Amino acid sequence: MPIINWLHHYAKVILLTLGLTVALEACVFLPYGFLALPLFLIAAFIFLPINMEKFTTALSFAILFSGFFGSYLGIPGNENIFLFRLLIPIHLVLFLFFVKKDWLRLRYVKVLLLLFIAFFIGMMATGFWAPQMGESIRYLYFIFEWLYVIFLCVYYIRNERAYAMFTRGLMILYIGILCIGVWECLTGHHLRQSGSLFYETTTSAFQPTGFQFNTNDFASLLTILFPIVIMQITTWKRKLMMLSGLLGVSAVSLYLVIMTNSRLAMLVLILEVFVLLFGWSKICSFVSIYVFGMGALLISSFYSSGFVRKLLGMVTNSFTEKGDSTSERMQMYQASWNMIKESHFMGIGAGNLPLRLDEYMYGFERMTDNYWAPHNYWLEALANGGLLAFIPLLAFFIGYFIFAIRYWIKSKYSAASAIPLLVGIAFVAASVGLSSTIDKRHLSLGIGIGLAVLNIRYFQKGRIKNEG
C-alpha cells in the first residue's frame, strides 16, 4: 500500500513534528507548560535517532522567526518568558555539546563578531560600579540576544540555498504582517498586546502596530526588512505576478509607514525604493522614473481623492507637528551627554541610563515606573558602558558599513548588492527614532541578515575568486 509505505518511510519525521507541535502548544497554553519542551527533546534524543546538524539548523530558523511574535508565543500570565527565549538556551546547549562545529563558516566575519563580543564584555565590566544590578543584567541579556541572533544568521544562513529558503519564509511572514497592519488601519482593532489599546490619543486607534508594541517599532520593522523581501519577490518566475507583488508590497508598506507617522521611516523607505530602482535601471531610466513619479505626485495632490489627500496630510503633519517631541528628545540627549561627562566616559553602568534620565526629567527619584527611554542607541551605549564598550560597538558598525559600501560599489550598484547597506541605513534611522533599540529583535535580525549577505556574496566569493 503506497500510503502505508509513505507513513513507514516518514514515521520519524511525523512523530517528531507532532511531538514538537504538542510541546509548543503546551508552552503557550498551559501553566509551566514550557517544561514540556525540554522533556520532549530528551525523549526524542533517546527514542528517535536525529541528525543533530539538521535539527539545530531547523531550530535556529525557529528562533529567528519566533522572535517576530515575541510574547504572543509566551506563557499566559508571564509573557516575558516566550518561545524565542526558551529556544535560545536549548539551541546553545545542543550546539556546544552535540554538534560538530564548523568555524570556517565564520572566518571572514570573525573580526566583526569579535568586536560585538568586545562590546558585550565592555558592558559586563560596568557591573563593578553599576548602581542597579538588576537593570544591568536585563540590559546584558538583551545584548546577548543580539549577539546570538547575529551569530545564528551568519552561521546557518551560510550559502545561497539557505538564504533563499530563509527569505522565502521571511517574505510570507512580512506579507502577513502587512495584512495585519491594513486590518488595524481599516477597523481600528488591534492584537491584544498592542500599545494602541493603551494610548489615549485621537489617532492611535487606526495606527498599525502588528506584533510590535508601538507604531514606531512597527515602522522600523517594515523598513529594515523591506529590501530583503523586495529582492526575494524579484525571484518569482512569472513576470506579471512578480511586478504585481513588487508594486503591491511597496504600496502597502509605504501606506502603513505613513500611517505610523514615523518621519525617519518614511524617508528611509523612499530612499530604499530609489536605491533599488537605481540598481535595476540605467541612469536615464532612473531619472525618468523619478521625474514621472514626482509629476504624478504633484498632479494627485491637486486632483486626488480624499484618501490620497488624507495620506499627504498625515505626511505633512508628521514633519510639522512634532515640535514638542523633538525638543524633549534634545533635552534628553543633553542630559545623557552630561551624565557621560560626569562618569569621565567610564559609563554609569549597563542599563542604568533610563533610571538616571527618569530622575532628571521628573526632578526627583520615583519608586515605581522609574524608566525613561533614552531615544538614542548610541548615546545610550556610551552612557551605559563608557568608551570601553562604545569603541568596539562603533568599530563594528563602521566595519559593517565599509564592507557594505564596498560590496555595493564593486557590484556596480546592483539592487541585490544594496541589501546590507539599506539594512544598515534603516538601523541607524531606528537607532535615533525609537524610544528603545536594544530590546528590538527585528533590528538584530536585519543586521544579521545583512552580515550574512556580505559573508555569502562578498567575502566568500571574493576570497574564492582571488584564491582561484
Side-chain angles (χ1 to χ4, degrees):
M1 294 292 289
I3 297 178
I4 295 176
N5 292 335
W6 183 86
L7 290 174
H8 177 73
H9 183 71
Y10 291 100
K12 294 179 181 178
V13 176
I14 294 171
L15 289 174
L16 187 64
T17 303
L18 290 175
L20 184 60
T21 301
V22 172
L24 295 179
E25 292 293 325
C27 288
V28 175
F29 295 108
L30 297 179
Y32 303 102
F34 62 91
L35 296 175
L37 194 57
L39 292 176
F40 161 75
L41 292 175
I42 293 172
F45 296 150
I46 294 174
F47 298 106
L48 294 176
I50 297 174
N51 185 318
M52 290 304 299
E53 175 63 28
K54 293 182 179 179
F55 183 76
T56 52
T57 299
L59 192 60
S60 67
F61 282 15
I63 292 172
L64 297 177
F65 281 109
S66 64
F68 287 100
F69 300 95
S71 55
Y72 287 96
L73 296 179
I75 299 172
N78 195 349
E79 283 75 13
N80 286 325
I81 303 177
F82 45 83
L83 186 60
F84 173 80
R85 290 177 177 166
L86 289 172
L87 293 181
I88 285 180
I90 294 173
H91 184 279
L92 180 60
V93 171
L94 295 179
F95 180 79
L96 290 178
F97 301 106
F98 297 95
V99 176
K100 183 179 179 181
K101 269 67 74 176
D102 183 9
W103 298 117
L104 290 178
R105 299 180 190 179
L106 307 176
R107 59 177 171 170
Y108 301 129
V109 294
K110 62 182 179 181
V111 173
L112 292 176
L113 291 176
L114 288 174
L115 284 172
F116 206 92
I117 292 173
F119 163 61
F120 181 46
I121 294 173
M123 280 293 180
M124 289 180 62
T126 64
F128 289 105
W129 59 83
Q132 295 288 338
M133 280 302 299
E135 291 299 323
S136 292
I137 293 173
R138 174 180 177 272
Y139 193 82
L140 290 171
Y141 174 75
F142 283 132
I143 297 177
F144 169 76
E145 280 190 349
W146 272 61
L147 178 60
Y148 208 75
V149 167
I150 293 172
F151 163 76
L152 290 179
C153 289
V154 177
Y155 190 87
Y156 288 100
I157 307 177
R158 62 187 184 274
N159 51 41
E160 291 288 355
R161 181 174 175 273
Y163 178 76
M165 181 173 63
F166 179 79
T167 52
R168 278 196 295 269
L170 188 65
M171 176 193 65
I172 295 171
L173 180 60
Y174 188 90
I175 294 174
I177 291 172
L178 292 182
C179 293
I180 294 174
V182 172
W183 168 72
E184 290 178 289
C185 293
L186 296 179
T187 66
H189 299 300
H190 303 277
L191 300 180
R192 67 180 187 273
Q193 295 181 33
S194 169
S196 292
L197 299 175
F198 306 100
Y199 297 147
E200 296 181 0
T201 67
T202 57
T203 60
S204 61
F206 295 93
Q207 289 184 298
T209 57
F211 294 109
Q212 307 302 309
F213 181 75
N214 63 45
T215 55
N216 285 335
D217 296 345
F218 183 73
S220 68
L221 182 146
L222 295 184
T223 54
I224 203 165
L225 299 181
F226 178 79
I228 303 169
V229 172
I230 287 295
M231 290 311 304
Q232 175 58 33
I233 293 176
T234 60
T235 63
W236 293 0
K237 295 182 179 180
R238 296 185 179 180
K239 191 171 183 180
L240 180 60
M241 183 178 294
M242 179 195 72
L243 292 175
S244 300
L246 291 174
L247 292 174
V249 169
S250 300
V252 174
S253 297
L254 181 59
Y255 164 68
L256 292 177
V257 167
I258 291 174
M259 292 299 291
T260 63
N261 283 332
S262 176
R263 295 166 291 185
L264 286 174
M266 294 180 203
L267 295 175
V268 169
L269 191 63
I270 292 172
L271 175 64
E272 289 175 337
V273 170
F274 283 152
V275 169
L276 293 175
L277 286 174
F278 180 77
W280 287 321
S281 311
K282 294 181 179 179
I283 300 295
C284 294
S285 300
F286 174 77
V287 173
S288 300
I289 292 171
Y290 178 78
V291 172
F292 175 78
M294 293 302 294
L297 184 61
L298 289 174
I299 293 173
S300 67
S301 65
F302 290 103
Y303 300 103
S304 63
S305 64
F307 173 75
V308 177
R309 286 199 302 271
K310 179 182 176 181
L311 283 182
L312 293 175
M314 291 187 67
V315 173
T316 302
N317 293 338
S318 297
F319 285 90
T320 59
E321 295 186 358
K322 290 191 175 182
D324 292 339
S325 174
T326 302
S327 299
E328 187 178 78
R329 291 195 181 202
M330 296 307 298
Q331 186 180 1
M332 286 188 291
Y333 292 174
Q334 184 61 50
S336 299
W337 180 246
N338 291 337
M339 294 175 193
I340 291 169
K341 291 188 293 185
E342 290 173 3
S343 71
H344 303 290
F345 294 90
M346 291 183 61
I348 60 178
N352 279 256
L353 177 62
L355 304 180
R356 292 283 301 275
L357 272 180
D358 184 86
E359 184 179 345
Y360 173 86
M361 298 300 287
Y362 278 93
F364 57 90
E365 184 177 357
R366 298 188 299 156
M367 297 303 296
T368 59
D369 299 325
N370 54 338
Y371 191 95
W372 195 282
H375 291 78
N376 189 304
Y377 177 71
W378 313 102
L379 279 176
E380 181 180 10
L382 182 55
N384 281 328
L387 291 176
L388 183 64
F390 183 75
I391 289 176
L393 175 68
L394 187 63
F396 171 87
F397 280 102
I398 289 175
Y400 176 91
F401 274 102
I402 288 174
F403 291 128
I405 293 171
R406 281 183 179 178
Y407 171 47
W408 189 48
I409 294 174
K410 288 188 176 182
S411 300
K412 298 181 179 179
Y413 311 102
S414 68
S417 66
I419 288 178
L421 179 59
L422 293 178
V423 164
I425 292 172
F427 170 79
V428 171
S431 69
V432 295
L434 302 184
S435 57
S436 178
T437 307
I438 194 66
D439 59 339
K440 304 300 182 292
R441 289 170 294 278
H442 60 273
L443 297 181
S444 59
L445 177 66
I447 295 296
I449 295 175
L451 198 55
V453 170
L454 287 174
N455 191 35
I456 296 169
R457 299 177 179 173
Y458 181 56
F459 298 134
Q460 291 180 7
K461 286 190 176 181
R463 296 296 179 91
I464 292 171
K465 182 177 180 181
N466 292 335
E467 291 171 1

